[in-house]
Amino acid sequence: MTGEKLERAIRAGEKILEPKYALPLITFIAAFFRLIPLRYHYLFGYDPYFHLAYVEESLKAGRWVDFLTIAGGPWGFLIKNFHPLGLWMTPAYVYKVLSVFGVSIYDAFRITPVIFGVLTVLFFYLSMLNLYGKREAFFSALFLSVMFGHIFRSSANYYRGDNYMLFWYSVALYGISLALTKTRRAWRYRRFAFYLIPAFASGLASIFWQAYYPMFVFLIGNAVFLAFGAFILRKDRYLADAAALTLSTAFGALIANWLGGRFGYGMLGGDRWLARKTAEKLGIELGRIKDVYLLVHLRYLVPLTLLGIAVLFLISKPVKERRKRLPLAVLIAFSGALVLFMRFTVLKDLSSGFGIFGQHPILETVHPSFGDLWMAFSVLIFLCPFFALRFIPGNVRLSDFLLLGFVAPGFYMLYTWTRFLFIGSLAVAAAAGLGLISLHDLLHAKLESRLSTRKLSAVLLALLILVPAVSAGFGFREIYDERPVINDHWVQALTWLGENSNENDIILTWWDHGHWVTYYARRSPIVQGGPSRWLALYYLGKINKNQLMARGIDYVIVSYDTVLKFGSVLETANVSGAGYALVILPLVSRFGTLLFERDGYRIIAQPGERWKVIVNINGNSFSPREAFLEYRNSLAGLPLQSEKIGNAYVYMNLNYGYAVLMSEKTFNTTLARLMFTNEYPSYYRLVYSDGGYIKIFRFEHPNVVVTSENGSVVLRFTNATGTGLGILGYLDNGTLVFRKWYPVKGEEEFILPNDMNGSVVVRYTYVRKRTVLDRGVFRIDEFVTDTSR
């Protein structure tokens, strides 16, 4: 590069750093990366389908339904025990605004995460601009814009609640930055009003996501490190800012508690089992403050922080030397942490959710590997250590301490769970952005006397261009490679199920796919959103038909996707893997002889009057005990030539080009019998099959079908062998207002009473003496319009 071109490049770079250019550029980049998934019609993952189903059902009803009967199995699902309403109100209002332009609720839901993801980036940029300057703000915000760790959970088609928490924290950080940077005399006291921004932001964050608590952890961390920074740097007047910020979190906690009674509490609030369990572990009782974290925050964290700030203020008068202040600050910090952990010894289990998530960990609740960190942040993880250069004596600023308030807990969260890669992305963006500028300045100082001005400028310019470019390249690749988990096979199968089943039918499918059932079939899955040992045991053949009836199961779904998760089934069931084996092999040749092969496993099948099927495992050949072939609309066992027989079973599918090699123990599981054979108990009836990807079975048993006739709700009994019917009536908020048992021996139908004390939701139990034959739940207003009756 010639000197003239280099000079022009430097001038262009300086121009880009100007906020009037930087802000729109960063906005465009952030939006572009997050809109890439719009190339797919389907949503990503599983949870977004539940959220969209609830929004659609509530919009259809004209109110925010609390008791949802298309989720939660035969008991239904109380929304107030899940997320606060803000999570669903937001896309609903986005839809109402955009609907005038012809935007559907589906598309409004898809783009809502992008709106708040981009806003997070913008407020983060403005915060860093106030706290540091143009360079630090530009690169920190640019890194947040292009890192996959933040893009994924703020992108189109993937709707998650933590996106809102990070947005509200960026708003709060912006308010703090305004308070700290309004230094003119006219703002001497008025600037403290800006601390109302983090107060309201933290309070409002509580109604958008059930696990919003890191918001308060970050803010109290900001206050603590701001106090220590003010003390160590001898900027004692900013101790008042630390106190004001601490008090703002107390005000925010009170707002959150008030809003919880109107929009729903977080996961540690209200009468949830997790709130009760955590309160018990922490040894506290809830009263007016109805959330465990908010109570701990108000009763312990705020007073302890204010006490620490007061101690720093008192000793700041006699202790003036910086070298003496640092060890005192460390001593006070250690003492505060010791007091906290002595009061709550259970905090040692914080990283495992107080042990609650230890039994059935999922991908989101395990420690991230280096591969996870690389996927989320790529080269930026190597820039983060250079953030430490900010704390070299003579370079450190008060804002560096302030940022430690979310950088330190953010890095701890990165270590804890993969779920927190998104929340920790703000810490990585700040540390990497500041680390890059610190490295740039260090290289400039070290190389200035060794290189010519032209060479030095070229090196530094390359650093500032290559690192963001490489980071953007990795981020683009990751989000571009993302695919929806759901596919046409699932949509067609579940749409069919919704059109060919009763509204009160209960569906059994692997828990990952439960939310899809809720959305596409508008039926209630037995399990969704979290692992179930009972469900895993069912697929392994360890659950009998009486247990299915007791849970009201009407349909069972088996799928290729569940087969792929067979290892997870075993792990979730918590059974020994001894004797279980399953390998899926792709079809590599079908000319004359069928050949399936992968990683040392091979199946060779030669058609004939008696098929010759050979299994080869690392050079050892034998014939399976049984083999099944599925092609077009036919599934049948094959007559085999009698040769050396091994303890193996084979299923071959020519519709989708795969084969399954399994052990006898695996072959005899319910999953394998239903998916790979036509040999299963007579109480299963195949009602839907696409030839080897998804199969739906009707579970034949004495059943209840809910219908409406002449303005009344009628419960019809098929295979009417029951003797009693239990009816429970609930208000929409889950309050039980009606309970009665009716004798129905010899009856084929039951008309629901008109007077049920205002019930809008009914749970029923159909029994033969003490044996439950069927169970379910439905909303009365789904069958009759007059619920007062």
Side-chain angles (χ1 to χ4, degrees):
M1 182 181 289
T2 65
E4 184 179 348
K5 289 182 178 179
L6 180 62
E7 188 175 342
R8 282 203 304 267
I10 294 174
R11 285 200 303 269
E14 291 174 347
K15 189 175 182 180
I16 289 174
L17 294 178
E18 292 297 324
K20 64 180 180 180
Y21 299 110
L23 197 58
L25 177 62
I26 288 173
T27 302
F28 172 78
I29 293 172
F32 172 76
F33 274 73
R34 285 156 183 78
L35 288 171
I36 289 173
L38 282 182
R39 54 201 270 259
Y40 297 109
H41 175 70
Y42 296 136
L43 304 179
F44 286 176
Y46 307 99
D47 293 21
Y49 282 100
F50 175 89
H51 301 317
L52 180 55
Y54 177 65
V55 172
E56 290 181 353
E57 288 296 306
S58 294
L59 289 175
K60 182 178 70 174
R63 66 185 185 282
W64 293 104
V65 176
D66 194 0
F67 209 134
L68 197 64
T69 57
I70 57 172
W75 301 278
F77 190 91
L78 277 174
I79 291 295
K80 68 179 182 181
N81 292 331
F82 197 20
H83 292 280
L85 283 177
L87 180 69
W88 302 289
M89 294 172 68
T90 308
Y93 284 114
V94 169
Y95 161 66
K96 290 185 176 182
V97 171
L98 297 181
S99 62
V100 297
F101 303 105
V103 177
S104 67
I105 177 60
Y106 188 81
D107 287 334
F109 183 85
R110 295 168 72 200
I111 66 173
T112 298
V114 179
I115 296 172
F116 287 89
V118 172
L119 286 174
T120 301
V121 174
L122 296 186
F123 276 107
F124 181 56
Y125 170 81
L126 295 173
S127 302
M128 297 297 284
L129 184 65
N130 287 336
L131 293 171
Y132 290 96
K134 296 181 292 185
R135 297 186 305 162
E136 294 87 349
F138 178 81
F139 287 102
S140 295
L142 180 62
F143 290 154
L144 189 64
S145 298
V146 301
M147 66 169 59
F148 182 67
H150 186 267
I151 292 170
F152 185 49
R153 297 178 84 92
S154 63
S155 68
N157 287 359
Y158 196 53
Y159 188 81
R160 302 308 295 263
D162 39 6
N163 191 18
Y164 292 116
M165 192 221 75
L166 221 51
F167 160 72
W168 283 113
Y169 179 72
S170 70
V171 173
L173 187 62
Y174 178 60
I176 298 170
S177 73
L178 290 174
L180 292 177
T181 54
K182 296 295 182 181
T183 55
R184 289 189 306 170
R185 190 172 185 82
W187 286 97
R188 185 175 181 182
Y189 297 110
R190 292 162 55 195
R191 68 185 182 84
F192 284 96
F194 286 117
Y195 286 112
L196 289 174
I197 296 178
F200 283 105
S202 58
L204 289 170
S206 68
I207 67 170
F208 290 87
W209 186 42
Q210 64 170 339
Y212 63 90
Y213 308 108
M215 174 84 178
F216 284 93
V217 174
F218 289 171
L219 289 175
I220 203 73
N222 290 140
V224 168
F225 280 102
L226 178 62
F228 284 125
F231 179 73
I232 294 170
L233 298 178
R234 293 186 301 175
K235 296 185 177 182
D236 299 335
R237 68 190 184 95
Y238 287 104
L239 289 172
D241 288 83
L245 179 54
T246 303
L247 291 173
S248 80
T249 69
F251 186 35
L254 293 174
I255 294 174
N257 186 65
W258 182 79
L259 290 174
R262 288 149 181 81
F263 295 91
Y265 291 97
M267 63 194 303
L268 295 178
D271 57 356
R272 303 181 184 205
W273 73 270
L274 184 57
R276 295 193 299 270
K277 189 176 183 68
T278 308
E280 180 184 343
K281 282 180 173 287
L282 295 177
I284 60 177
E285 292 185 8
L286 299 177
R288 290 184 178 180
I289 304 300
K290 300 186 182 303
D291 184 284
V292 175
Y293 174 81
L294 296 181
L295 181 60
V296 170
H297 188 88
L298 289 169
R299 183 180 291 179
Y300 300 101
L301 296 184
V302 169
L304 190 61
T305 302
L306 290 175
L307 177 62
I309 294 172
V311 171
L312 292 175
F313 176 76
L314 291 174
I315 64 177
S316 67
K317 302 301 181 182
V319 181
K320 297 295 185 182
E321 296 182 34
R322 184 178 296 181
R323 62 184 180 85
K324 292 182 178 180
R325 287 191 170 196
L326 180 59
L328 285 174
V330 172
L331 178 62
I332 292 170
F334 177 77
S335 300
L338 186 62
V339 168
L340 194 62
F341 275 86
M342 286 181 64
R343 171 62 183 85
F344 300 115
T345 56
V346 73
L347 287 177
K348 68 181 186 297
D349 298 323
L350 181 62
S351 63
S352 64
F354 304 113
I356 293 168
F357 301 102
Q359 289 186 338
H360 302 297
I362 57 177
L363 287 177
E364 291 188 343
T365 58
V366 296
H367 293 304
S369 63
F370 178 78
D372 296 323
L373 294 172
W374 178 260
M375 178 184 292
F377 310 118
S378 67
V379 296
L380 299 182
I381 56 179
F382 300 115
L383 281 178
C384 290
F386 292 103
F387 175 58
L389 296 175
R390 305 287 310 179
F391 294 89
I392 295 176
N395 293 342
V396 65
R397 297 164 56 173
L398 189 63
S399 51
D400 296 323
F401 282 95
L402 175 74
L403 258 61
L404 276 178
F406 71 85
V407 170
F411 282 170
Y412 174 76
M413 294 176 78
L414 290 178
Y415 158 77
T416 306
W417 285 349
T418 55
R419 171 66 182 268
F420 293 148
L421 290 174
F422 174 79
I423 296 177
S425 64
L426 204 66
V428 174
L434 294 172
L436 177 66
I437 298 303
S438 298
L439 178 61
H440 171 277
D441 293 346
L442 178 66
L443 291 175
H444 185 276
K446 295 292 184 181
L447 300 178
E448 188 175 19
S449 60
R450 302 180 184 181
L451 298 177
S452 65
T453 302
R454 177 181 169 186
K455 289 183 178 180
L456 178 60
S457 299
V459 170
L460 298 179
L461 184 62
L463 175 68
L464 297 181
I465 292 176
L466 285 177
V467 172
V470 171
S471 177
F474 279 109
F476 178 82
R477 185 191 68 180
E478 294 296 342
I479 190 61
Y480 189 83
D481 287 345
E482 281 298 317
R483 301 286 188 274
V485 183
I486 200 168
N487 53 43
D488 291 341
H489 302 295
W490 276 102
V491 173
Q492 291 167 9
L494 296 179
T495 300
W496 180 92
L497 181 60
E499 294 172 350
N500 293 273
S501 60
N502 303 306
E503 290 190 31
N504 60 303
D505 284 340
I506 307 300
I507 316 302
L508 186 151
T509 188
W510 185 241
W511 68 270
D512 276 342
H513 312 134
H515 291 324
W516 296 349
V517 173
T518 292
Y519 182 74
Y520 283 105
R522 286 302 198 266
R523 298 292 180 264
S524 182
I526 187 67
V527 178
Q528 61 195 121
S532 163
R533 184 169 185 263
W534 182 91
L535 182 62
L537 289 171
Y538 166 78
Y539 278 118
L540 294 179
K542 299 181 181 297
I543 298 296
N544 61 43
K545 64 178 293 186
N546 286 339
Q547 291 176 277
L548 295 183
M549 291 192 297
R551 286 166 173 78
I553 304 299
D554 297 295
Y555 290 90
V556 172
I557 299 177
V558 291
S559 68
Y560 178 76
D561 291 323
T562 309
V563 174
L564 290 175
K565 299 173 185 287
F566 189 71
S568 297
V569 173
L570 292 174
E571 184 178 353
T572 306
N574 195 26
V575 299
S576 170
Y580 291 104
L582 184 149
V583 181
I584 300 175
L585 311 176
L587 176 64
V588 296
S589 176
R590 61 191 306 165
F591 295 103
T593 298
L594 302 177
L595 175 61
F596 304 85
E597 186 174 21
R598 196 192 82 181
D599 299 335
Y601 293 89
R602 177 184 296 179
I603 297 173
I604 304 169
Q606 185 174 350
E609 186 175 338
R610 301 187 72 83
W611 282 59
K612 183 177 182 180
V613 180
I614 301 298
V615 175
N616 186 292
I617 303 177
N618 296 322
N620 297 317
S621 297
F622 55 87
S623 295
R625 290 187 182 277
E626 292 187 55
F628 292 80
L629 177 69
E630 187 160 8
Y631 181 50
R632 295 179 179 170
N633 297 321
S634 173
L635 169 60
L638 299 176
L640 300 178
Q641 296 182 15
S642 297
E643 296 187 9
K644 179 183 177 182
I645 305 296
N647 185 25
Y649 296 78
V650 167
Y651 163 80
M652 296 174 288
N653 189 293
L654 300 187
N655 295 321
Y656 296 95
Y658 72 93
V660 178
L661 174 63
M662 58 200 124
S663 64
E664 182 177 14
K665 199 170 183 179
T666 301
F667 177 73
N668 286 320
T669 63
T670 301
L671 174 61
R673 286 289 184 175
L674 295 180
M675 187 69 188
F676 304 136
T677 81
N678 53 5
E679 300 171 355
Y680 37 78
S682 60
Y683 47 78
Y684 291 113
R685 177 166 59 90
L686 181 65
V687 294
Y688 177 92
S689 174
D690 59 9
Y693 199 94
I694 296 174
K695 297 178 181 180
I696 303 176
F697 291 83
R698 173 75 183 177
F699 173 53
E700 302 287 4
H701 66 107
N703 189 35
V704 177
V705 177
V706 182
T707 62
S708 61
E709 289 183 10
N710 302 320
S712 296
V713 179
V714 179
L715 282 68
R716 296 193 180 281
F717 309 126
T718 60
N719 189 7
T721 57
T723 58
L725 180 68
I727 298 291
L728 301 178
Y730 297 84
L731 302 180
D732 191 52
N733 64 8
T735 302
L736 177 65
V737 293
F738 184 88
R739 181 203 301 263
K740 192 170 183 180
W741 278 91
Y742 298 90
V744 293
K745 184 176 181 180
E747 300 290 338
E748 294 188 352
E749 67 177 36
F750 174 84
I751 300 176
L752 201 67
N754 287 329
D755 184 12
M756 292 184 59
N757 301 327
S759 299
V760 295
V761 175
V762 171
R763 288 176 179 165
Y764 62 85
T765 305
Y766 185 48
V767 301
R768 183 194 303 125
K769 296 182 179 179
R770 294 188 177 184
T771 301
V772 175
L773 303 178
D774 195 21
R775 196 191 300 271
V777 63
F778 62 91
R779 293 186 66 92
I780 296 176
D781 55 14
E782 291 290 333
F783 296 91
V784 294
T785 56
D786 181 13
T787 58
S788 61
R789 297 181 310 119

